[in-house]
Amino acid sequence: MTARRLAPIATALLIAALAGCNPSAAKSESDSKPSAPAASQPGKESPAPGAPAGGSDLSLAEAIAKIPAGAEDRTGYKRDSFHLWVDADKDGCDTRKEVLIAEAVKDPEQGARCALSGGEWLSYYDEVTVTAATKLDIDHVVPLAEAWDSGASKWDANRREQYANDLTADRSLVAVTAKTNRSKADRDPAEWLPPAASAQCTYGADWVGTKLRWKLTADDKERAALEKLAKDCADTVVKYEVAP
């Protein structure tokens, strides 16, 4: 059983204690975490469920400074260089289904071969409630192409498969509306941020935490955009563990 399956969304809600997540800003793929409560006041937006909790870890600005610098290079990138949606624990549910089950705010029913019906999800990128799993994409917060650009091109196939199906880190893969995931495409924070202002600090922490977890680099434009975002996210804390 994966760590994500053992850490349901209720646990994530308990640690969503950020404030000041209210920047005014705005690389996804077609893979496409649930959202802040709808009743937020301007300047007082709540973080998305599962947002990094305040405490003893790095501020967003400190975490950004730890990302190694590097120029991006997409030479040789092919999406199928990353093996997607494996069933690592052989329980009948692949990575996509595992994320959907973990992030449901109302549990879906599981049928044969982990077919999901019913259920409810909150797409934190755009604060949209979704009641059909087929309308959700599983987004790699740091898209596969961006990962390739910033270090994954040097990995072997097994390492890229681990990245593409990372269920151990709670914030690397998120269930969001297909519309927002596909509007993101493979763009980085210099080019795209979630449309919901309440999501942007959380997204910045998720992005930076994923880059640090996998020892990926950031180019100058990406870093500048993240540093700008961090000025409006002073209370955001980044928690991550380096991937084994």
Side-chain angles (χ1 to χ4, degrees):
M1 196 67 68
T2 66
R4 184 182 284 269
R5 288 288 292 278
L6 294 174
I9 197 68
T11 301
L13 286 164
L14 292 176
I15 65 169
L18 299 180
C21 220
N22 61 337
S24 57
K27 302 175 176 181
S28 174
E29 48 202 49
S30 28
D31 329 320
S32 257
K33 214 153 194 202
S35 165
S40 337
Q41 297 177 358
K44 297 290 184 179
E45 290 90 345
S46 301
S56 61
D57 290 84
L58 298 172
S59 70
L60 181 54
E62 290 170 332
I64 293 166
K66 288 177 68 68
I67 302 176
E72 294 189 358
D73 183 2
R74 196 159 298 183
T75 303
Y77 170 71
K78 293 185 294 183
R79 184 174 172 76
D80 60 10
S81 296
F82 295 81
H83 185 195
L84 288 167
W85 308 160
V86 300
D87 181 9
D89 60 4
K90 309 300 181 185
D91 68 348
C93 298
D94 65 16
T95 302
R96 172 182 165 82
K97 300 291 180 60
E98 296 276 13
V99 177
L100 290 170
I101 292 167
E103 296 193 356
V105 295
K106 179 181 177 182
D107 292 340
E109 294 184 5
Q110 297 182 45
R113 298 184 180 179
C114 203
L116 304 181
S117 59
E120 185 175 296
W121 293 263
L122 195 56
S123 167
Y124 98 80
Y125 285 0
D126 50 0
E127 296 185 335
V128 171
T129 297
V130 178
T131 56
T134 55
K135 295 183 178 180
L136 291 161
D137 283 355
I138 305 305
D139 181 37
H140 292 89
V141 171
V142 175
L144 301 180
E146 170 72 23
W148 179 274
D149 294 351
S150 52
S153 62
K154 300 177 178 65
W155 298 346
D156 63 19
N158 182 62
R159 186 70 168 173
R160 288 196 287 267
E161 179 178 309
Q162 291 174 346
Y163 178 85
N165 299 274
D166 188 7
L167 291 171
T168 303
D170 193 43
R171 306 295 299 176
S172 295
L173 300 172
V174 296
V176 296
T177 58
K179 179 181 179 180
T180 53
N181 182 56
R182 294 167 195 184
S183 73
K184 173 187 170 186
D186 60 358
R187 294 184 289 176
D188 71 18
E191 303 166 302
W192 188 92
L193 288 172
S198 61
Q200 292 178 7
C201 292
T202 299
Y203 182 76
D206 291 352
W207 181 280
V208 172
T210 300
K211 285 248 165 166
L212 291 173
R213 172 170 169 77
W214 290 94
K215 299 181 179 180
L216 299 172
T217 62
D219 64 16
D220 292 344
K221 288 184 178 180
E222 176 188 344
R223 188 182 305 277
L226 289 168
E227 289 172 345
K228 180 180 179 181
L229 180 65
K231 292 177 181 178
D232 293 310
C233 303
D235 295 326
T236 300
V237 175
V238 178
K239 293 180 178 289
Y240 70 96
E241 293 183 1
V242 175

